[in-house]
Amino acid sequence: MLLPAPFLRWFADKGWHPRAHQLELLSRVQGGENMLLIAPTGAGKTLAGFLPSLVSLTERGKIPPGSAFTGIHTLYISPLKALAVDIERNLMKPVGDMGLPVRIENRTGDTPAAKRQRQKLNPPDILLTTPEQVALLLANGEAERFFKDLKYVVLDELHSLVTSKRGHLLSLGLARLRQLAPGMQAIGLSATVADPMDLQRWLAPQRAGENNHAGLITVTGGARPEISIMRTDERVPWAGHSAAYAIGDIYKAIGETKTTLLFVNTRSQAERVFQELWTINDDNLPIALHHGSLDVGQRRKVEAAMSENKLRAVVATSTLDLGIDWGDVDMVIHVGAPKGASRLAQRIGRANHRMDEPSRAILVPANRFEVMECQAALDANYIGAQDTPPVGKGALDVLAQHVLGMACAAPFDPLALYAEITSAAPYATLTWDTFERIVDFVATGGYALRAYERYTKIRKTPEGFWRVSNPMIAQQYRLNVGTIIESPMLNVRMVKHNARGSLGRGGMALGKVEEYFIEMLSPGDTFLFSGKVLRFEGIRESECLVSQGYKLDPKVPSYNGGKFPLSTYLAQQVRKMLADPSRHATLPEQVRDWLSLQKDLSMLPKEDELLIETFPRGSRHYMVIYAFEGRLAHQTLGMLLTRRLDRAGLKPLGFVATDYSLAIWALEDLGEAFTSRRPQLADLFDEDMLGDDLEAWLNESFLLKRTFRNCAVIAGLIDQRHPGKEKSGRQVTVSADLIYDVLRSHEPDHILLEATRNDASTGLLEIERLGDMLSRIKGHITHRPLDRISPLAVPVMLEIGKEAVNGDAQDFLLAEAADELFADVMATASP
């Protein structure tokens, strides 16, 4: 088909031609298909996704003043606020150049309330927004009017949306949009995906006995990225995550490029890397910081400066790793291992955001195991391997939130709502019985809580419909909508001392920090935040008051969120690399020597073998297990193994887990016990540990309580926010713990306890992954008793009893401890 004349002129003026996949997507969408476009970075995915909308709106023309109300035409949904803002900026340019009669606006949590209200009364043609805003719009009584003219829903970076609870909530929202606008079509855009059919089904309505899925266009080609692992003359640390050893080399690389994006995996890493770069910034290079806890105003300033090419580098977390289109970024530096092949591909695509030019990236491993992980990720990128997780089954707490949201919009017929919900791919197998239990939970809180009026959120009408109990419930829903549960946060506000020495009025807002971290501080303590050393002055209501600090050894905020688990694919590749000496040649000399020494003094594990080393050190006996299944799975394994070792009378004292290994220490000689087969290692690692042992541990631990708290907040059982105020994290936790104890005692089959166990199994515990590992190693366990620590055990041994130490002292003490441990290793190698 031919594009309208303004589009053809625009392409010609730019010296461009529309790409084949852009025209194919336009044609197939105009033919009535839902579509998924998978294309490499810089292939013009965004323009392709919007072409059907822009062409349709151009053909429709400008709506005359005084016409009947017209709802939005296109809904664009992004996983990131920054991406929605960036897309608006980039889309307005061609729309303006072509003079198209199209009004585009964004709507996120940062959008002023007055603008959001005006958008309901006078909707733009194209609304750029996030999943949470979609849920809010659908829960409004005017949703049917607002969405009645909806023609297209464009879902950007679809792979990152669908695999989480946000994706589950969005899938339910998409199902509701199909009811409000039956002719609506979905267009999914993705750069990295392991199983396209998973996403194709997600985009299409599901019906029993039917195989509905969206059409697929896959764009191949593009310039091969240029990725390297940073080589340095400095010693690569045995353990740790700071990568402080490479800061000088990182700074040098920044100086050699025009604009660099530095990605890290956690917010605390971002703060520290930014601070260390500024410490050595003798050339006064403009370097900025960007992460989710910073004040929105500061984030927008950084984004604007980046788009105007005013910065030489930005240190960022995942807030900037999706789709942000800054064509002048010519280098990505990834500090720390990426933890996933698809995540690395996504992040390095931020450099040279053009399909025909190679993205350039440098990986900076923080420790020696991460060197191997980085090499595995690099190899995976070159062969195009992907490890995005599957969509998975829809969460029950999310379903409860959605049911309440639908009642807030209008009374619902349970049969019709059930049919609508099961048309969403994650909930396609939801049974009627489970749905009824969810509705009963929203209506009463469950059997054990039905006597309390506060849990009666919906009521049944004489006609058999369910309506919201009162307007206050709808208001509470709007304040608490969403599935992202952060650690309890306090606003950080800069203050100054007045002439009398007391604190003056609050000044500039810097962002938010975890409440539990602030509660650990005493007035006068310093910490690093927003790229500044701050002095803690106190807490006033929901704000943490700070002043400018001048100490050089601040405490660094410790964030619970932001640590990615090692993907199953990369874990397997690291095991393969260890088992194949021919692949060691690509590794730095320091790492090669380390592995060679391990082979001489103990052994290197085979790919499908579980190597267990035991050795004494001081008055304790140690057991190191090289499972390579990620920190979460190792923590669960450690909990279960210590229970079994205790039953065997071996007196375990504790354990520590990393992404690569697990160390357990005990009073009894573990090596002698395993050698004499009491207990047998095969029995110790039997899959039955995921039965009674797991159940007993869960019933005794606080882990389920922590998980229940999150489920209770998402499901609406506990409201974190109220009009004009917000519960502290402590208040939410106390409320959740009380309810959890009541339900466990009086209603153990409560639907929210079921949701909690589902969450714990798939999230914090990684039960499925651990089960796969136990099955894989059956009959392939090798015990190597040693008389002292092995080279491979040094990294995990450094984690034992490690205290949080301020500033550079942490790296110094870690290096000192490593030297001491390695001296023991070398004592074995000495003649």
Side-chain angles (χ1 to χ4, degrees):
M1 64 146 294
L2 286 177
L3 287 167
F7 292 79
L8 295 174
R9 284 196 299 270
W10 181 76
F11 275 108
D13 289 346
K14 297 287 184 181
W16 299 341
H17 297 281
R19 296 180 186 267
H21 62 270
Q22 293 171 332
L23 295 177
E24 182 185 356
L25 182 69
L26 174 61
S27 175
R28 292 178 68 174
V29 169
Q30 289 181 330
E33 288 187 76
N34 298 296
M35 290 299 301
L36 171 63
L37 172 62
I38 297 175
T41 297
K45 285 191 303 296
T46 304
L47 180 58
F50 278 108
L51 264 183
S53 301
L54 296 177
V55 170
S56 173
L57 286 165
T58 301
E59 291 172 347
R60 185 194 73 180
K62 190 172 183 178
I63 297 175
S67 301
F69 178 89
T70 303
I72 62 167
H73 177 281
T74 297
L75 189 64
Y76 166 89
I77 303 171
S78 152
L80 296 176
K81 297 175 187 177
L83 182 53
V85 173
D86 182 67
I87 291 296
E88 180 182 22
R89 181 172 58 242
N90 290 333
L91 194 58
M92 289 298 292
K93 186 72 169 64
V95 167
D97 290 347
M98 288 185 271
L100 302 182
V102 178
R103 190 155 60 92
I104 304 167
E105 293 183 6
N106 74 66
R107 180 190 181 96
T108 72
D110 297 333
T111 304
K115 182 178 179 180
R116 293 202 301 265
Q117 184 61 29
R118 193 257 302 152
Q119 287 171 342
K120 291 180 184 178
L121 301 174
N122 183 20
D125 299 310
I126 299 176
L127 185 65
L128 315 171
T129 190
T130 59
E132 292 73 25
Q133 290 297 317
V134 173
L136 279 170
L137 289 167
L138 288 172
N140 188 279
E142 294 294 312
E144 186 171 359
R145 179 171 178 261
F146 188 79
F147 289 112
K148 66 182 177 65
D149 299 307
L150 182 65
K151 193 170 179 67
Y152 301 120
V153 176
V154 181
L155 301 121
D156 208 352
E157 306 293 350
L158 185 60
H159 61 282
S160 71
L161 278 171
V162 300
T163 57
S164 65
K165 287 189 177 184
R166 289 182 90 199
H168 299 165
L169 185 63
L170 183 57
S171 74
L172 294 169
L174 201 61
R176 170 45 58 109
L177 288 172
R178 294 188 195 282
Q179 297 300 312
L180 301 179
M184 180 271 291
Q185 293 168 258
I187 301 168
L189 309 176
S190 180
T192 51
V193 58
D195 181 7
M197 184 53 72
D198 227 12
L199 271 61
Q200 288 173 259
R201 291 194 188 97
W202 193 96
L203 286 167
Q206 301 301 297
R207 297 283 182 265
E210 299 179 10
N211 183 25
N212 288 350
H213 57 81
L216 174 66
I217 297 173
T218 302
V219 181
T220 57
R224 177 172 166 165
E226 298 172 359
I227 314 171
S228 62
I229 297 175
M230 181 165 280
R231 304 289 176 168
T232 177
D233 294 332
E234 303 293 330
R235 186 173 72 167
V236 180
W238 297 97
H241 303 283
S242 73
Y245 77 97
I247 287 296
D249 295 290
I250 292 172
Y251 183 74
K252 182 180 177 184
I254 292 171
E256 293 171 350
T257 55
K258 287 189 294 186
T259 310
T260 301
L261 269 179
L262 285 92
F263 282 114
V264 296
N265 290 331
T266 68
R267 295 170 186 173
S268 56
Q269 265 185 318
E271 291 280 354
R272 183 165 185 186
V273 168
F274 176 73
Q275 185 74 11
E276 288 175 339
L277 285 172
W278 266 106
T279 300
I280 62 171
N281 189 10
D282 296 334
D283 298 325
N284 289 318
L285 301 178
I287 300 172
L289 175 66
H290 193 290
H291 64 66
S293 284
L294 297 177
D295 179 71
V296 60
Q298 183 170 339
R299 296 201 306 270
R300 294 295 173 263
K301 285 179 183 176
V302 171
E303 292 158 17
M306 195 74 174
S307 67
E308 295 167 10
N309 298 317
K310 292 180 178 179
L311 298 175
R312 293 293 296 275
V314 176
V315 182
T317 58
S318 55
T319 52
L320 293 184
D321 69 0
L322 293 173
I324 308 298
D325 186 7
W326 289 315
D328 289 335
V329 173
D330 50 359
M331 172 73 79
V332 163
I333 296 178
H334 199 291
V335 180
K339 302 301 171 189
S342 295
R343 181 175 297 109
L344 176 63
Q346 187 72 54
R347 287 182 164 182
I348 65 175
R350 300 308 101 217
N352 286 343
H353 203 261
R354 293 173 284 271
M355 183 176 176
D356 301 323
E357 296 183 25
S359 298
R360 294 176 57 217
I362 299 175
L363 310 184
V364 185
N367 58 61
R368 297 192 180 200
F369 268 122
E370 283 198 356
V371 172
M372 289 185 284
E373 187 185 332
C374 284
Q375 184 64 51
L378 187 155
D379 294 342
N381 188 273
Y382 283 152
I383 65 173
Q386 302 294 344
D387 53 10
T388 47
V391 169
K393 196 173 179 181
L396 297 177
D397 52 347
V398 174
L399 180 58
Q401 182 182 124
H402 179 73
V403 167
L404 178 57
M406 294 305 92
C408 291
F412 67 79
D413 172 3
L415 288 172
L417 185 59
Y418 174 70
E420 177 186 311
I421 286 169
T422 52
S423 72
Y427 295 92
T429 60
L430 180 77
T431 65
W432 173 256
D433 176 66
T434 302
F435 173 73
E436 280 194 310
R437 291 171 65 202
I438 287 289
V439 172
D440 179 68
F441 161 73
V442 179
T444 67
Y447 171 77
L449 301 175
R450 66 178 62 239
Y452 301 93
E453 181 69 18
R454 77 178 74 167
Y455 301 117
T456 304
K457 304 208 169 186
I458 58 175
R459 298 183 188 277
K460 203 168 191 178
T461 68
E463 298 78 23
F465 284 39
W466 288 96
R467 64 169 178 82
V468 69
S469 294
N470 59 68
M472 197 67 173
I473 298 293
Q475 185 181 25
Q476 287 296 104
Y477 170 86
R478 294 185 188 104
L479 286 172
N480 291 278
V481 71
T483 63
I484 300 174
I485 304 295
E486 296 279 355
S487 297
M489 306 288 278
L490 291 176
N491 292 317
V492 180
R493 187 172 295 279
M494 184 74 82
V495 295
K496 292 183 178 179
H497 292 271
N498 58 30
R500 296 187 302 273
S502 57
L503 294 177
R505 295 174 61 86
M508 182 174 61
L510 300 179
K512 295 186 176 184
V513 72
E514 275 82 353
E515 182 182 64
Y516 81 89
F517 172 76
I518 295 299
E519 289 176 344
M520 292 163 46
L521 300 180
S522 300
D525 283 348
T526 58
F527 64 102
L528 186 62
F529 184 75
S530 190
K532 302 177 178 68
V533 178
L534 304 175
R535 184 180 189 272
F536 175 58
E537 300 293 349
I539 296 174
R540 182 186 295 163
E541 296 177 350
S542 62
E543 291 193 325
C544 165
L545 305 182
V546 300
S547 60
Q548 182 68 53
Y550 298 98
K551 291 185 179 180
L552 297 178
D553 55 349
K555 295 182 178 179
V556 179
S558 174
Y559 294 92
N560 279 337
K563 284 191 175 180
F564 301 112
L566 177 65
S567 75
T568 303
Y569 175 82
L570 283 190
Q572 181 186 37
Q573 296 308 305
V574 171
R575 289 198 304 270
K576 285 184 176 180
M577 190 179 301
L578 270 175
D580 183 1
S582 67
R583 296 182 64 182
H584 298 176
T586 60
L587 302 173
E589 183 180 5
Q590 299 175 53
V591 179
R592 289 201 307 271
D593 291 346
W594 173 48
L595 297 182
S596 177
L597 195 59
Q598 170 68 18
K599 184 179 179 182
D600 292 341
L601 300 182
S602 176
M603 64 179 293
L604 291 170
K606 297 175 183 175
E607 180 183 344
D608 289 321
E609 173 184 62
L610 182 69
L611 172 63
I612 297 172
E613 294 177 336
T614 54
F615 50 83
R617 181 169 172 78
S619 60
R620 296 177 178 180
H621 296 270
Y622 292 86
M623 168 188 189
V624 178
I625 302 150
Y626 301 98
F628 297 95
E629 290 295 346
R631 177 176 45 88
L632 296 179
H634 291 169
Q635 285 176 342
T636 302
L637 180 62
M639 289 287 189
L640 299 178
L641 283 177
T642 50
R643 294 181 70 89
R644 292 193 156 195
L645 290 170
D646 189 53
R647 283 205 304 270
L650 296 176
K651 302 176 184 175
L653 298 173
F655 74 90
V656 67
T658 69
D659 268 332
Y660 314 102
S661 58
L662 166 71
I664 298 175
W665 55 97
L667 290 176
E668 297 296 316
D669 188 339
L670 298 174
E672 193 277 330
F674 297 147
T675 302
S676 60
R677 303 199 172 195
R678 52 173 193 84
Q680 293 198 44
L681 283 172
D683 294 335
L684 188 66
F685 285 86
D686 193 274
E687 292 169 271
D688 63 7
M689 76 162 64
L690 300 181
D692 291 344
D693 279 335
L694 176 62
E695 189 70 21
W697 170 53
L698 288 177
N699 289 334
E700 293 173 6
S701 75
F702 285 94
L703 186 141
L704 280 186
K705 279 192 174 182
R706 291 211 326 265
T707 309
F708 176 82
R709 172 198 152 146
N710 292 346
C711 288
V713 170
I714 291 172
L717 187 65
I718 296 173
D719 290 325
Q720 195 162 0
R721 299 177 191 89
H722 297 263
K725 61 181 179 179
E726 184 168 342
K727 279 186 178 179
S728 70
R730 192 185 306 107
Q731 289 172 320
V732 173
T733 299
V734 169
S735 300
D737 287 355
L738 287 172
I739 296 173
Y740 177 79
D741 290 337
V742 167
L743 295 183
R744 271 201 60 198
S745 300
H746 301 287
E747 196 179 354
D749 61 345
H750 191 280
I751 191 72
L752 214 54
L753 292 181
E754 181 181 329
T756 298
R757 288 181 175 272
N758 290 345
D759 265 19
S761 295
T762 57
L764 291 171
L765 300 179
E766 293 210 337
I767 298 298
E768 183 178 352
R769 184 168 180 177
L770 184 54
D772 290 343
M773 185 213 81
L774 294 174
S775 174
R776 172 174 57 82
I777 60 152
K778 189 176 289 186
H780 301 282
I781 301 175
T782 298
H783 172 219
R784 184 57 61 100
L786 305 171
D787 60 3
R788 65 186 66 220
I789 185 174
S790 74
L792 215 57
V794 170
V796 73
M797 291 290 287
L798 286 168
E799 298 290 333
I800 297 173
K802 188 172 73 176
E803 297 292 334
V805 181
N806 294 338
D808 294 337
Q810 182 170 8
D811 294 318
F812 175 78
L813 292 179
L814 199 61
E816 193 176 66
D819 289 341
E820 182 184 337
L821 284 174
F822 203 65
D824 278 2
V825 172
M826 295 309 294
T828 307
S830 300

